[in-house]
Each structure stands twice: as C-alpha cells, then as structure tokens.
Amino acid sequence: MTTEVHVPNDALRAVRIGLRMSQDDLAKALRQAGAESGERNEASKRLVQRWEAGISRSPRPVYIRALERVTGMPIESLGFAPQVPMGRVHDDGAGGHDMAPSAEGVAPASAETRAAVQTAGDNYSGVWLSRYEFYSSGREDVFEGRHYVVLVQHGNRLTGRSLKGASLNPDSPLSLDLTVDRSVITGTWTEQTATGGYYQGASYHGAIQMLVEPTSRRMAGKWVGFGKDFDVNTGPWELRLMDTSTSKATLERYSVPPE
C-alpha cells in the first residue's frame, strides 16, 4: 500500500502572505469576489488550507475566477494547473556587471535573528529586499528595480512574491521561483510592469542564479532575460535579508516602496 505524498502549494501561500491576508481573510475575499461577479462560492479557511497543503490541486472554475480576481494573477502563477480537464471529478474541499555589496538599509543581525538563522539552517524564509539593475536602450541609461519580497521555503524549493505596494514602481509585482542547492540559488523570475509606466504593462521573465554569502543574509548573482526589442540582456541582482518573520505586523512594515 502506497501513501500519497502532497506537495505544498508554496506559490499560493506566498501570494497570500504578500497580500497580508490570513487564510480566513483570503476565503472571505473569495466569497466577496464571487458575490460581486454573480458567481457565488463557498470558499472557506479549510478550503484554502487544503489548497496550500497540496491536497486539492484543481479548483473548480468558479474558484479559479475568484482567485484571479482577488490576487490579480493568472491561475498558473498561483501554483495550480491553468485549466481543468473536462469530465474529471475534483476535490474542492468539501550586458552584465557585478553589483557591489551594500549594507544600506540592512539592519544589524540581532542575537535572536542569528539564532533563528542557525537553527533553521538553510531556510531562507522571510522578508528580503530585492534589487536589480537593467539597461534601458530606449532611455539610454541604467535603472534599478527594488521590491520587498516574501520568500517561502519548502525543502529545496523557494518561492518569492513581492509585497503589495512594496516596489519602486507601483503596480509592478515580482515573482521568483527558485531551487536551493546548498549555497547556489537557481530559478526563474517574472515581473508584470505597471500599466501606466514606461513599459505599459508588459510582462517580462527570465532566469536567475545567485550565490548565498556565508552569513545567509545576502544572495548575489545575475539575471538574464529578453528586452523590449527582444534582445537577450543580463545584469546584477541581489537579495538582502530584512527580517526572518512573516508576521502580519512585519509584512505591514515592509509594504512600502523601498528607499
């Protein structure tokens, strides 16, 4: 007899945390979204728990539409399949350069924080400051992108989502899907640019690889992706640990544009 192994949906959990919602808050928001769109649903805290635990992997269409409405993200970015096969029964829950290290904005590691990091080992969950540089051919200058992101780790998987309102450019959410191999972090990134910004709501994505410093408080490396003219670009990217906590009070403190 084999036991089914459920893979936690860290993407959904990271998005929920980034929205500063509890599981019950998300369920209430889903019910409200359903009522406003004329598609009432029975979302509950238990259902959200089942989704995040990976027990239920295929929400019904009514929940998919509510999830996309509440989060503002496609269902594929929430850790679910993009669509549900017909006839299936679903369990809904009855040019790069190095970036110089900088300590600006990083609080000194307290004894409590150092102990937490040592206890957690290679666990990188927490709030991080994401900072990358890119060259804009249209403006012929180098620009910087900054976000406060929440990283959620499960095993060697690391999922990151920017906090709402926590970027230099408003309405420009960032997503990171990473794999941890000791001190090497490898994965992909996606950023949805602001509709009213220079890139007019275009979505960009690419690959990223970083190395973790011995203190476990900074990761630094390079990104690669396509530009506005569909040329391949690269540049520096770093993540700096701000807080190992993901409590509601901590998330509220970092739900502001980084200075």
Side-chain angles (χ1 to χ4, degrees), residues 193-213:
T193 62
T195 304
Y198 179 79
Y199 294 102
Q200 301 179 341
S203 179
Y204 290 95
H205 54 86
I208 183 173
Q209 187 166 64
M210 295 181 286
L211 296 176
V212 183
E213 293 185 346

Side-chain angles (χ1 to χ4, degrees), residues 7 40 67 97 99 134 144 185 193 213:
V7 179
R40 295 185 178 276
L67 281 163
H97 52 284
M99 179 177 288
F134 66 98
E144 185 176 80
I185 309 293
T193 62
E213 293 185 346

Side-chain angles (χ1 to χ4, degrees), residues 102-109 129 217-218 238-242 254:
S102 169
E104 177 187 359
V106 180
L129 172 61
R217 296 183 61 80
R218 180 176 180 264
E238 73 165 6
L239 292 171
R240 287 183 281 142
L241 179 64
M242 308 305 291
Y254 287 104

Side-chain angles (χ1 to χ4, degrees), residues 125-204:
S125 297
V127 178
W128 295 70
L129 172 61
S130 166
R131 184 166 67 99
Y132 65 85
E133 291 181 1
F134 66 98
Y135 177 77
S136 172
S137 57
R139 291 173 285 181
E140 298 184 342
D141 202 355
V142 175
F143 293 86
E144 185 176 80
R146 291 192 183 193
H147 299 76
Y148 285 125
V149 300
V150 174
L151 295 187
V152 175
Q153 184 168 352
H154 180 79
N156 70 336
R157 296 170 53 223
L158 197 57
T159 304
R161 296 294 184 270
S162 57
L163 289 168
K164 187 175 183 180
S167 63
L168 282 181
N169 298 314
D171 303 320
S172 186
L174 172 70
S175 301
L176 300 169
D177 291 289
L178 311 169
T179 299
V180 180
D181 183 4
R182 288 176 287 189
S183 61
V184 180
I185 309 293
T186 305
T188 60
W189 61 271
T190 302
E191 183 170 1
Q192 180 71 44
T193 62
T195 304
Y198 179 79
Y199 294 102
Q200 301 179 341
S203 179
Y204 290 95

Side-chain angles (χ1 to χ4, degrees), residues 19-188:
L19 292 172
R20 292 180 295 170
M21 288 184 174
S22 66
Q23 292 175 332
D24 193 43
D25 291 336
L26 178 56
K28 290 178 181 177
L30 293 175
R31 294 197 299 271
Q32 181 177 348
E36 291 175 350
S37 64
E39 292 186 312
R40 295 185 178 276
N41 62 68
E42 299 179 356
S44 64
K45 178 180 178 180
R46 176 58 179 160
L47 177 57
V48 175
Q49 289 175 334
R50 290 173 63 83
W51 285 339
E52 292 189 0
I55 297 173
S56 179
R57 304 291 299 181
S58 301
R60 294 203 322 250
V62 65
Y63 289 115
I64 291 176
R65 288 187 286 272
L67 281 163
E68 292 182 333
R69 182 183 177 96
V70 170
T71 65
M73 301 177 69
I75 197 65
E76 301 96 315
S77 298
L78 300 176
F80 297 112
Q83 60 182 4
V84 177
M86 294 296 291
R88 182 176 175 182
V89 178
H90 310 289
D91 181 4
D92 267 311
H97 52 284
D98 292 328
M99 179 177 288
S102 169
E104 177 187 359
V106 180
S110 64
E112 180 180 353
T113 298
R114 288 195 299 271
V117 172
Q118 292 170 359
T119 300
D122 292 333
N123 192 309
Y124 302 112
S125 297
V127 178
W128 295 70
L129 172 61
S130 166
R131 184 166 67 99
Y132 65 85
E133 291 181 1
F134 66 98
Y135 177 77
S136 172
S137 57
R139 291 173 285 181
E140 298 184 342
D141 202 355
V142 175
F143 293 86
E144 185 176 80
R146 291 192 183 193
H147 299 76
Y148 285 125
V149 300
V150 174
L151 295 187
V152 175
Q153 184 168 352
H154 180 79
N156 70 336
R157 296 170 53 223
L158 197 57
T159 304
R161 296 294 184 270
S162 57
L163 289 168
K164 187 175 183 180
S167 63
L168 282 181
N169 298 314
D171 303 320
S172 186
L174 172 70
S175 301
L176 300 169
D177 291 289
L178 311 169
T179 299
V180 180
D181 183 4
R182 288 176 287 189
S183 61
V184 180
I185 309 293
T186 305
T188 60

